[in-house]
Amino acid sequence: MKSIRLKIAVLSVFALGQSFSNFAQEQVLSKSEAIALTLENNYNIAVADNSVLIAENNSDILNSNYLPAVFGQAGANYTIQDQRTDRDDGGSFELDNAKSESYNASVNLEYTLFDGLGRLYNYKSLKETYNLTKLETRETIENTVLQLFSVYYEVARLTENVEILEQTLEISKNRVKRAGYQFDYGQNTKLEVLNAEVDVTNDSINLMNTRQLLENTKRDLNVVLARELQQTFAVDTNVIFIPKIALESYLDLAKENNVRLLQTESSITLSQYDIKTSKARFLPTVGLTGSYGWNESITPASAFFGGSTRQNTGFQGGLNLRWNLFDGGASIIQLKNAKIAKENQLLLKEQINLEVDRDIANALGNYENLIEVYEIQEQNVITNKNNFERSRERFNLGQITSIEFRQAQINLINAATNKNLAKYEAKFAELQLLQQVGQLLNVEF
């Protein structure tokens, strides 16, 4: 996972020191830089990274029960008692307020030599859980990257639409000037001037609304990047599609790289370890114990002996075996449930296989369709641009009315904005296809 993120983050190096856009003089936020900022700052990714760290800690040898437990113990006891001792000859001896003291300290060791291999499969399960968590984090990163580009491309689309509407407004303003001059010289009516002014008003409002929508969408992008909302920037409006031959090679390996299928395989492996861990409960546990300790006891004088102090130090070791011959049936139930859980995972795998096949087919179909739509819209822009230029020449010569000229202008605006929409929809569909085939984080944007 670190290698994947490093590969993407390295791309950001080339984004530093970007040039400024010609129309707004804002620093360009390149695609690679946007990805790097997202990987560094996005809150969902940060939470997912922490989950990986927790899983990594859990899979460490220190959490495996393979290492012995070493602990120290110490204690002290102090008692005051009235004692009476009866002798065999019938006499007795009494001692009031007899004091006794005892002290002990030891270092102890406990180690499980064998537990039916339950410890082994539990350790392997923790390792596989770590692998599954990394796959879940990869899925989070993929979804966040898609979210990023959904907003990034919307900013790019609106940026290009603003440029189109600015050019449209400039043409409409020039038309007002021309209509005013013609009216002054008696070449047209006041109605032509008013129509031109109405079109300027409409174009101005469209431009204002699009600019406001652009600013709102930029703030949306800053949220994904987890940075200041008022951070200003421009985006890269260039779009390069992946060659068809590369996509075909990705499709061939889709089943091996799809993150959902990889997660399913990991879950099946975990269920297999659960079964083996459950079976281990039917076997005995063999443990080793050892200690090195010191003890001291001080006893009061008695009828026959004077007060005494006793000390001892030394090693003690032992070997023990525990075998649950019957635990009320809990182990049997656990094993049965583990086998059912594995069966559920196998059924889920079949379902996910079918869903992934559908998702890949849908993503490929959407992509191919949108690419074709984009190519048609590109040609449509060329057609409408030629039509607009001819209409402008004829309008300047007085051969068509202002309404006909305005219609040609609107057709060009619609064609250009539709082309922008088709371009970014096709590119986003490509990213969705790359996610389905497991290559979203392995390509350059």
Side-chain angles (χ1 to χ4, degrees), residues 229-246:
L229 295 181
Q230 303 306 320
Q231 184 86 27
T232 60
F233 59 91
V235 296
D236 182 6
T237 58
N238 293 321
V239 169
I240 300 176
F241 293 98
I242 294 177
K244 185 176 181 180
I245 188 172

Side-chain angles (χ1 to χ4, degrees), residues 358-393:
R358 176 205 61 194
D359 293 342
I360 291 175
N362 289 347
L364 179 61
N366 290 338
Y367 170 70
E368 292 175 341
N369 179 69
L370 289 171
I371 283 290
E372 187 173 351
V373 169
Y374 173 53
E375 292 172 350
I376 293 173
Q377 292 290 3
E378 279 189 312
Q379 185 59 46
N380 191 39
V381 168
I382 295 173
T383 301
N384 278 278
K385 187 173 183 180
N386 291 336
N387 179 64
F388 173 74
E389 293 298 335
R390 292 185 180 182
S391 297
R392 179 157 56 180
E393 292 175 3

Side-chain angles (χ1 to χ4, degrees), residues 13-47:
V13 175
F14 301 101
L16 300 177
Q18 286 284 343
S19 60
F20 294 88
S21 60
N22 295 326
F23 67 92
Q25 295 299 308
E26 294 178 321
Q27 188 171 5
V28 174
L29 175 69
S30 69
K31 301 178 185 71
S32 55
E33 185 179 9
I35 293 174
L37 288 172
T38 301
L39 292 176
E40 181 180 357
N41 300 329
N42 185 268
Y43 297 116
N44 290 333
I45 292 178
V47 171

Side-chain angles (χ1 to χ4, degrees), residues 386-435:
N386 291 336
N387 179 64
F388 173 74
E389 293 298 335
R390 292 185 180 182
S391 297
R392 179 157 56 180
E393 292 175 3
R394 295 183 64 190
F395 177 70
N396 291 338
L397 294 174
Q399 296 177 352
I400 62 173
T401 65
S402 60
I403 295 177
E404 292 173 309
F405 173 75
R406 178 62 177 178
Q407 187 59 52
Q409 187 183 26
I410 291 175
N411 290 342
L412 178 58
I413 296 171
N414 291 337
T417 55
N418 287 338
K419 185 203 77 169
N420 290 339
L421 178 62
K423 176 173 70 171
Y424 295 112
E425 283 185 339
K427 184 59 181 179
F428 190 70
E430 179 186 84
L431 297 184
Q432 290 176 311
L433 177 59
L434 289 172
Q435 183 191 31

Side-chain angles (χ1 to χ4, degrees), residues 30 53 55 131 155 183 185 251 286 331 344 372 392 437 445:
S30 69
L53 291 177
N131 180 54
V155 173
F183 175 74
Y185 289 100
L251 287 168
V286 180
S331 296
N344 285 341
E372 187 173 351
R392 179 157 56 180
V437 298
F445 296 92

Side-chain angles (χ1 to χ4, degrees), residues 119-129 270 273:
R119 175 175 53 182
L120 171 64
Y121 293 121
N122 183 62
Y123 183 55
K124 288 184 176 181
S125 179
L126 291 173
K127 288 290 186 181
E128 190 60 38
T129 299
L270 283 172
Y273 288 145

Side-chain angles (χ1 to χ4, degrees), residues 14 51 57 88 103 122 183 212 265-266 296 340 348 351 356 391 404:
F14 301 101
S51 297
N57 290 336
D88 293 340
Y103 305 94
N122 183 62
F183 175 74
Q212 182 59 50
E265 292 294 340
S266 181
E296 178 179 335
I340 295 172
L348 185 60
Q351 178 184 350
V356 168
S391 297
E404 292 173 309

